[in-house]
Amino acid sequence: MNESSTGDPLPAEPSWRPVSRSRAYELVVDRVEEQIIGGALKVGDHLPPERELAAWLEVSRAAVREAIRTLEAHGVVRSSVGSGKGAGTVVTAMPSGALTRMLRLHVALTSFPLVDVIEARVMLERTSAALAAREADAGHLARMRAPLDAMDDVTLTREEFNEFDTRFHVAIAEAAGNRLVSDMTIAIRESMKQQVLSGFRSAGDWADLAEVLRGHHRDLLEAIEARRGERAADLVEEHIRYAYARLPGLRAGDR
């Protein structure tokens, strides 16, 4: 291993190996990911010019262009034309919204048993609630309280209630202070949004159910405001499991 004058290991240098021509653009994506995971490419670094990268990997320039388009769609790189400092293809940090969108679509499209999604949601939201109880500031608490106040309107449609319910859980996740936990929590909650709405629509005793859910939310917010993290975690788990047990439309979506 090469070392600097201080004895510390030098940063890894990109090492571009040729790829087979079968599914060439996907393999180009793999090579770029290898460099990022290995630490040879970091946020702000430029990828080699298209012509050079195609030559090094022994693929067509079309395969490189397709790979760059794929990486750009995933939020991994940003491409711009011109000759200035920001021109070319630059490695970029994926915005939280892009990560959440990818996770949400993956959960929604993959045939996970619903019970598995529920268990994952319980684990994540327990963590989010406990962290929110520790980290939430006045602004976070206000963003949690606003959808709850809106949900007190008994004339809300089930669709509107579901929207405010989602906002409340998202606000807790955003207050947690852990971006990865927050993004994963939001993705799973939003991926279940339509299934939860289906459950609301199937509930014959909607007025009573909505009142119970309002109470759960208020108790949860109270625990977060009181900085009672373990209590908040227990309450959000009880809330999720109660909804799963009470909503026939949600259970019908189990696979």
Side-chain angles (χ1 to χ4, degrees), residues 43-150:
V43 173
D45 288 348
H46 283 72
L47 263 60
E50 179 185 293
R51 185 187 300 275
E52 292 181 22
L53 195 53
W56 291 345
L57 299 179
E58 299 181 3
V59 296
S60 68
R61 294 179 64 177
V64 171
R65 284 194 295 272
E66 183 64 22
I68 297 304
R69 283 194 290 268
T70 299
L71 291 166
E72 193 164 19
H74 291 170
V76 177
V77 300
R78 181 187 68 252
S79 296
S80 59
V81 298
S83 57
K85 183 178 179 181
T89 302
V90 181
V91 179
T92 183
M94 178 182 289
S96 291
L99 177 59
T100 301
R101 182 171 61 254
M102 287 181 63
L103 284 170
R104 183 174 67 240
L105 291 173
H106 182 68
V107 171
L109 292 172
T110 305
S111 296
F112 296 118
L114 185 60
V115 66
D116 289 354
V117 179
I118 294 291
E119 291 302 325
R121 185 182 167 200
V122 165
M123 288 186 287
L124 286 166
E125 295 210 33
R126 281 189 63 92
T127 300
S128 291
L131 288 174
R134 187 183 72 193
E135 302 292 340
D137 59 24
H140 292 128
L141 294 173
R143 285 190 287 276
M144 293 178 213
R145 194 175 298 109
L148 295 196
D149 290 344

